[in-house]
Amino acid sequence: MVDDDQNAILFGGDYNPEQWPEDTWQGDIDKLKQANINVATINVFSWALLEPRENVFNFEQLDRIIALLVRNKIKIILATSTAAIPAWIIQKYPGIARVDVNGIRQKQGKRHNACPNSPDFKRLARGLVKRLVERYKDCPELTYWHVSNEYEGYCYCDNCAVAFREWLQQKYGTLERLNLDWNSNIWSHTYHEWSEIEPPMMTTDLFDNGKPVLSGAAIDYQRFQSDSLLNDFKLERDVIKQFDQQHPVTTNLMGSQKALDYFKWAPEMDIISWDSYPMPDDSAAETAMEHDLMRGLKQQPFLLMEETPNQQNWYPYNALKKPGEMRMLSYQAIAHGANNIAFFQLKQSRSGAEKFHGSVLTHSDSVHTRTFKEVQQLGKEVTKLPMTLNQANVQANVAVIFDWDSYWGLENSIGPLAKLSYVKEVQRFYQMLYGHGLTVDLVAKDADLMKYQLVVAPVLYMMNPQAITNITRYVEQGGTFLTTYMSGIADQTDNIYIGGYPGPLREILGLHIDEHDARSAKQSVRILAMNQSEVGTADGVCDLIIPDTATTLAHYSNDVFYNNYATITRNHYGRGTAYYCGAELSESGLNYLMEKLANTAGLKLGTSPKVEVTTRATAEEKFIFIINTDNREQTIMNPVPLATSLLTGKESATKLVLGPYAVEILHQIL
Ligand code: GLA
Ligand code: ZN
């Protein structure tokens, strides 16, 4: 049981007592305290309760929920409740509801459904948030403000069309400039009045597969909608800051989701928080990459705002988490930078959309369930971790560039390959690094790269002048760089660089490409090293690389007519080295490439792909997380023998035998 330690690491989750009779509340809290819960996220979706009519507010129930938590010394993450719009608002102001990509105006019902550019929404949200902050800013248990919830999705209404035109005028100044940058003479798009420009949607510019005719317009709409939602976040944040400068403000993000360019959001948030819901069959690397991306947004530790303590409910198959799996995933989050653990949700709903979603207290209403006991055990451990861990950041010597412009631009493209998924391609190369025991930061293309021994830029489709300079300087000054097929293809408004792929990266890579093939899995082709031994296979995009100054490290086999073209190359540029991988390689091909990269970059590769070793450190101490991500026993050599185990208090052995999903946290004072 938590001994009301104000300095314990946060361990809690979403709590929705408004779904339950009030006489059950204290009993639930008593049980949750047995699970070592010390924080609750509340008030996420209560707008209709708080403001039953315009400017008529009723905080009585929320007062009692907050009093309950304060009485029980449970910290509070207080949400602003603006993520689901009450029915009366939508009846009174129908223009608040989003218009979807098909042009259909939504009505009340689901959530995340407000038009981000609705003046009515902005006014009403401001009014609600102001009252919440004035009322609760001095609450002794208040810890964080949680604005809205999982901002997502786009709106295509007339408000948005008007705001889009203003956004474009700001960006381009004149229509001539816009027509030029969008190359809008394609299919007679040339615009003569700003009012002629419409949001790209199914009735205008998008094909049935969602891909656009005019790619420059499409990517600008994505940027504009991301900015519009960010403006709504900033609006609420600024109201909070006006009355409360003390408590940090966050909103829960969603990993590698597509709609929002989180690198633009991060500087506006006091701390990153995010919701981690790996699919039951996701690999450990896939989950790790999402954490690394969320940490990479600010290059700082973050909050894990939600995970499920057991089963999901919104995947096609919602497998149970096996014994120890939830604990393993929780420590994996902490290893990658989480400063807390939080669940959706603390008490399972008995109706509605989420009635079968995993929860700490389940429909059994018992403290003897497997889920409850696993949460309880984890809580006992986590709340005893030293608070200095919160200052310790992950130590990575490799960076992977993640880029929403490239995400959008690549997936907006029609050809060369319909199934090309940006995130899956980034994962392919992240997996190559992670599988060899490397710790990776995910960073923006204009981030400081100099501190990394290796920088990998998978499918970096879209470039801009800063990124070109940044990458070129990194290689010139001695860095080791890898980029791949579908990189350096287009400028910021999605016009292809002329002169051969990969455009502005040709010189550092010492090569050019006139043609890229796209092959189905059935047409996979063998890849050979220079001694003609097979290093792997490839399908999907296959670049026909023509080296200029680059050396060929592997080429296609004679299964294809382009067997004399290179597949993998290396080029010395300035004091550094730039590698190019021209095809979607199989695992063995990636292993071959990884060895070459490690050699050049001076990286030591790990030996056990199933055991993750991640270090968080300050100048004074190190926390080494050793995690068996597999459900079979694994044995590894202890990278820091004799260091103390934080979980057992004992000195660690030279060899570590890790049971299924076992975790060890070793501590070193420097
Ligand atoms: C999201 C939301 C929560 C809840 C969970 C369920 O993360 O933020 O409100 O719906 O999904 O997985
Ligand atoms: Zn709108």
Side-chain angles (χ1 to χ4, degrees):
M1 223 258 253
V2 188
D3 42 9
D4 298 332
D5 182 355
Q6 288 303 300
N7 292 317
I9 288 214
L10 296 181
F11 187 70
D14 278 52
Y15 180 45
N16 296 301
E18 65 280 355
Q19 294 178 11
W20 297 93
E22 221 165 304
D23 59 6
T24 61
W25 291 359
Q26 185 59 53
D28 290 340
I29 295 289
D30 292 343
K31 289 179 192 145
L32 292 169
K33 290 205 75 160
Q34 286 183 50
N36 303 292
I37 296 298
N38 61 18
V39 62
T41 303
I42 56 167
N43 199 45
V44 187
F45 299 107
S46 296
W47 195 346
L49 283 169
L50 301 174
E51 191 176 3
R53 268 176 298 138
E54 187 156 0
N55 279 322
V56 176
F57 291 91
N58 180 351
F59 290 106
E60 282 169 27
Q61 190 188 46
L62 184 57
D63 285 350
R64 291 197 297 279
I65 293 170
I66 287 182
L68 170 84
L69 297 172
V70 170
R71 210 166 47 240
N72 288 282
K73 297 223 167 51
I74 293 192
K75 290 186 193 293
I76 295 169
I77 299 177
L78 189 55
T80 59
S81 265
T82 52
I85 312 298
W88 69 260
I89 294 189
I90 293 194
Q91 283 196 343
K92 193 164 170 186
Y93 305 105
I96 275 190
R98 280 189 194 172
V99 168
D100 72 14
V101 70
N102 296 304
I104 298 170
R105 170 82 67 190
Q106 305 295 294
K107 289 188 178 177
Q108 193 267 335
K110 295 189 282 292
R111 56 183 179 176
H112 310 138
N113 51 356
C115 163
N117 289 298
S118 154
D120 293 320
F121 173 75
K122 288 179 194 285
R123 185 188 71 252
L124 291 164
R126 197 182 286 120
L128 174 67
V129 176
K130 174 172 178 285
R131 281 169 184 82
L132 279 170
V133 182
E134 283 176 328
R135 195 171 187 93
Y136 300 115
K137 66 180 169 26
D138 298 320
C139 166
E141 297 296 345
L142 180 60
T143 309
Y144 291 102
W145 286 103
H146 174 306
V147 171
S148 190
N149 188 70
E150 291 192 336
Y151 281 101
E152 61 169 293
Y154 293 164
C155 180
Y156 300 84
C157 76
D158 294 341
N159 287 326
C160 285
V162 171
F164 182 43
R165 291 170 201 135
E166 284 162 9
W167 187 95
L168 292 171
Q169 286 186 30
Q170 285 270 325
K171 178 168 178 183
Y172 294 100
T174 64
L175 269 180
E176 289 68 39
R177 184 77 250 163
L178 172 137
N179 280 323
L180 219 62
D181 284 4
W182 285 4
N183 202 14
S184 46
N185 295 348
I186 290 171
W187 292 8
S188 207
H189 277 58
T190 320
Y191 296 107
H192 302 288
E193 300 289 340
W194 291 99
S195 61
E196 292 167 3
I197 300 170
E198 292 288 351
M201 55 199 290
M202 299 316 281
T203 46
T204 62
D205 226 42
L206 304 185
F207 292 106
D208 286 350
N209 60 7
K211 306 215 181 211
V213 176
L214 207 61
S215 44
I219 198 162
D220 271 344
Y221 202 71
Q222 288 164 305
R223 292 174 178 137
F224 157 72
Q225 283 286 320
S226 175
D227 285 358
S228 299
L229 285 158
L230 176 57
N231 285 338
D232 285 354
F233 168 78
K234 283 158 65 178
L235 176 146
E236 292 194 32
R237 179 206 60 193
D238 291 348
V239 177
I240 295 170
K241 296 283 182 199
Q242 195 184 335
F243 301 97
D244 177 1
Q245 289 91 44
Q246 190 195 338
H247 298 102
V249 180
T250 190
T251 181
N252 49 343
L253 307 181
M254 294 190 286
S256 61
Q257 59 68 49
K258 187 169 175 182
L260 311 176
D261 181 350
Y262 284 157
F263 281 114
K264 285 180 97 176
W265 284 60
E268 307 295 342
M269 300 170 63
D270 291 330
I271 183 166
I272 299 298
S273 65
W274 89 283
D275 302 340
S276 177
Y277 290 104
M279 304 254 285
D281 51 3
D282 274 357
S283 66
E286 284 169 298
T287 311
M289 183 178 112
E290 298 288 314
H291 289 305
D292 290 346
L293 175 60
M294 294 295 93
R295 186 186 70 254
L297 296 178
K298 270 188 178 297
Q299 303 214 6
Q300 279 168 20
F302 56 86
L303 298 173
L304 180 75
M305 194 58 93
E306 298 177 21
E307 66 168 339
T308 174
N310 190 356
Q311 183 172 37
Q312 248 316 333
N313 77 325
W314 43 268
Y315 287 129
Y317 293 91
N318 295 286
L320 293 172
K321 287 186 178 168
K322 299 183 198 73
E325 192 176 358
M326 179 277 288
R327 177 176 179 269
M328 180 280 285
L329 287 167
S330 301
Y331 279 118
Q332 190 189 28
I334 295 177
H336 287 263
N339 275 350
N340 74 313
I341 291 297
F343 300 105
F344 184 89
Q345 56 181 329
L346 295 182
K347 181 165 173 151
Q348 192 167 28
S349 307
R350 56 190 301 226
S351 56
E354 299 187 311
K355 61 181 186 290
F356 288 124
H357 192 290
S359 187
V360 176
L361 271 177
T362 65
H363 295 150
S364 304
D365 200 25
S366 158
V367 296
H368 303 294
T369 62
R370 183 174 69 92
T371 309
F372 190 91
K373 286 194 278 189
E374 289 196 29
V375 170
Q376 186 173 40
Q377 172 60 28
L378 177 68
K380 197 168 143 196
E381 295 169 10
V382 164
T383 52
K384 294 216 175 80
L385 291 175
M387 289 297 284
T388 50
L389 174 63
N390 286 351
Q391 269 71 56
N393 205 354
V394 173
Q395 306 290 297
N397 41 17
V398 180
V400 166
I401 293 177
F402 193 95
D403 179 43
W404 266 274
D405 272 354
S406 293
Y407 196 165
W408 294 334
L410 187 78
E411 295 191 3
N412 286 346
S413 297
I414 304 175
L417 186 61
K419 75 162 181 57
L420 210 57
S421 142
Y422 177 75
V423 174
K424 285 231 164 334
E425 295 309 320
V426 178
Q427 270 164 359
R428 184 192 302 276
F429 291 90
Y430 181 92
Q431 166 72 57
M432 171 186 85
L433 301 160
Y434 176 93
H436 286 92
L438 297 170
T439 302
V440 179
D441 279 345
L442 269 85
V443 301
K445 64 187 172 199
D446 58 359
D448 175 15
L449 303 175
M450 292 303 170
K451 62 181 175 198
Y452 299 106
Q453 280 168 259
L454 171 66
V455 172
V456 178
V459 288
L460 189 59
Y461 172 85
M462 189 165 280
M463 301 301 290
N464 62 33
Q466 302 96 290
I468 298 168
T469 314
N470 197 32
I471 291 170
T472 307
R473 189 158 11 100
Y474 171 72
V475 181
E476 233 165 34
Q477 300 194 1
T480 305
F481 177 70
L482 165 70
T483 190
T484 73
Y485 47 90
M486 297 311 285
S487 295
I489 302 280
D491 71 10
Q492 295 167 81
T493 41
D494 210 351
N495 298 297
I496 306 252
Y497 292 107
I498 298 307
Y501 315 132
L505 299 175
R506 283 193 306 255
E507 199 185 326
I508 58 168
L509 293 162
L511 55 83
H512 67 277
I513 295 156
D514 296 332
E515 293 182 90
H516 48 213
D517 199 4
R519 309 182 69 84
S520 74
K522 274 196 229 153
Q523 299 171 309
S524 86
V525 53
R526 290 176 304 129
I527 308 298
L528 308 179
M530 299 319 283
N531 64 7
Q532 303 308 306
S533 66
E534 182 174 326
V535 298
T537 59
D539 57 50
V541 177
C542 293
D543 283 327
L544 280 53
I545 303 173
I546 304 167
D548 297 319
T549 56
T551 309
T552 302
L553 302 179
H555 61 91
Y556 299 95
S557 70
N558 58 9
D559 315 355
V560 286
F561 68 86
Y562 45 87
N563 59 325
N564 54 336
Y565 287 86
T567 316
I568 304 174
T569 61
R570 179 177 55 212
N571 190 46
H572 298 295
Y573 182 82
R575 288 190 279 127
T577 310
Y579 281 83
Y580 188 80
C581 172
E584 298 181 39
L585 292 179
S586 61
E587 197 182 329
S588 62
L590 291 167
N591 290 342
Y592 172 80
L593 173 59
M594 185 70 249
E595 269 171 41
K596 304 267 176 213
L597 292 166
N599 252 330
T600 308
L603 290 164
K604 200 170 153 272
L605 301 183
T607 47
S608 173
K610 300 285 184 195
V611 179
E612 203 196 278
V613 180
T614 311
T615 302
R616 287 180 67 171
T618 63
E620 285 86 39
E621 56 188 332
K622 272 190 178 178
F623 301 88
I624 302 109
F625 292 81
I626 301 170
I627 299 176
N628 179 4
T629 62
D630 197 31
N631 63 354
R632 275 158 305 205
E633 187 180 284
Q634 306 284 337
T635 305
I636 64 158
M637 295 310 289
N638 185 349
V640 280
L642 304 184
T644 316
S645 160
L646 278 184
L647 296 174
T648 63
K650 296 198 186 111
E651 218 170 62
S652 58
T654 48
K655 211 187 241 178
L656 297 173
V657 182
L658 300 155
Y661 299 131
V663 175
E664 185 56 278
I665 310 173
L666 302 180
H667 189 217
Q668 279 187 322
I669 307 282
L670 300 176

